[in-house]
Amino acid sequence: DAKTTQPPSMDCAEGRAANLPCNHSTISGNEYVYWYRQIHSQGPQYIIHGLKNNETNEMASLIITEDRKSSTLILPHATLRDTAVYYCIVGRYGGATNKLIFGTGTLLAVQP
Amino acid sequence: EAGVAQSPRYKIIEKRQSVAFWCNPISGHATLYWYQQILGQGPKLLIQFQNNGVVDDSQLPKDRFSAERLKGVDSTLKIQPAKLEDSAVYLCASSSPRGRGYGYTFGSGTRLTVV
């Protein structure tokens, strides 16, 4: 079973920041937080991951609380093309036995 | 780098028929996964290969589903006989431990409709 809890859907106005929350209260010390998104009719796409520090890349920022029990994915300037299902996943990094276990994600609808 | 290739893109079959899906992972990726995604749900892992060996097939319905990766490169997933509830998108992914976020890369999937 997925070890994360996300709201089923969110709306965001185009050009505004989209803040997607995720709860992972049972995360263990060596587990990372990963975010993937799935645009309609495509396979999931990697966005960002982190362990305990906040992370930023060209797509998004990831804010992880100090107790690591929750995190927020931030899309700084959402566009219509960011409309997708966003999955928050926790798991270990690397290794032959590791795998991604998906929940139901958050459907982000960016409105014009 | 080239992505994960899957074929066919779409398939419609009648129940009790058989069907096969093909996946070619990213070159050099030792780990390959097959996921089943039913409409409105997140992807569900069916089977995981490391090279040509099975690491995890605990969620694979073995009475009707089978998968192989004979030479440790491309893989096939077969369903025989198909049921109506097998209608879903079948996603293949590959990963390298040196990549980011596990280095998972997904294909576009095969959409199966069983009628």
Side-chain angles (χ1 to χ4, degrees):
Chain A
D1 290 336
K3 297 187 283 186
T4 63
T5 303
Q6 300 177 253
S9 64
M10 295 181 62
D11 288 343
C12 176
E14 188 177 20
R16 304 297 294 269
N19 297 286
L20 291 88
C22 180
N23 288 320
H24 32 79
S25 58
T26 61
I27 191 171
S28 60
N30 60 353
E31 289 184 317
Y32 285 70
V33 179
Y34 297 86
W35 284 84
Y36 278 70
R37 74 178 182 183
Q38 188 172 25
I39 295 170
H40 183 63
S41 296
Q42 297 182 20
Q45 174 194 24
Y46 167 82
I47 301 173
I48 198 167
H49 76 284
L51 182 61
K52 60 178 76 173
N53 297 321
N54 298 337
E55 302 288 344
T56 296
N57 63 19
E58 65 277 7
M59 292 182 68
S61 295
L62 173 61
I63 308 298
I64 303 173
T65 58
E66 191 169 348
D67 63 7
R68 302 210 323 124
K69 293 184 177 182
S70 65
S71 61
T72 301
L73 178 74
I74 301 172
L75 307 179
H77 306 286
T79 71
L80 298 178
R81 287 175 291 183
D82 292 321
T83 293
V85 177
Y86 287 77
Y87 296 99
C88 170
I89 302 165
V90 299
R92 295 186 186 86
Y93 186 88
T97 59
N98 294 321
K99 55 186 72 72
L100 294 179
I101 305 299
F102 289 81
T104 52
T106 296
L107 173 59
L108 175 68
V110 180
Q111 309 290 343
Chain B
E1 62 182 2
V4 174
Q6 290 190 247
S7 67
R9 190 77 173 89
Y10 303 94
K11 190 74 176 178
I12 300 174
I13 62 172
E14 295 182 349
K15 59 184 179 183
R16 292 187 289 275
Q17 285 187 323
S18 62
V19 65
F21 314 126
W22 175 82
C23 171
N24 189 275
I26 289 176
S27 177
H29 279 194
T31 313
L32 184 148
Y33 313 80
W34 282 101
Y35 285 83
Q36 178 194 58
Q37 186 171 25
I38 293 172
L39 186 65
Q41 299 180 17
K44 170 189 168 185
L45 180 67
L46 292 176
I47 189 167
Q48 176 183 356
F49 291 94
Q50 177 70 11
N51 296 310
N52 60 350
V54 175
V55 174
D56 183 357
D57 63 357
S58 58
Q59 298 298 307
L60 188 73
K62 299 180 186 63
D63 57 334
R64 297 183 301 105
F65 286 64
S66 64
E68 60 183 13
R69 193 183 184 200
L70 293 176
K71 296 183 179 180
V73 181
D74 55 351
S75 174
T76 56
L77 176 69
K78 298 179 182 178
I79 307 175
Q80 182 178 11
K83 294 185 176 181
L84 297 177
E85 58 260 36
D86 298 332
S87 294
V89 175
Y90 291 85
L91 294 161
C92 178
S94 67
S95 72
S96 165
R98 289 183 294 279
R100 56 181 187 177
Y102 294 122
Y104 273 66
T105 302
F106 285 80
S108 296
T110 296
R111 182 176 297 277
L112 173 67
T113 303
V114 183
V115 297

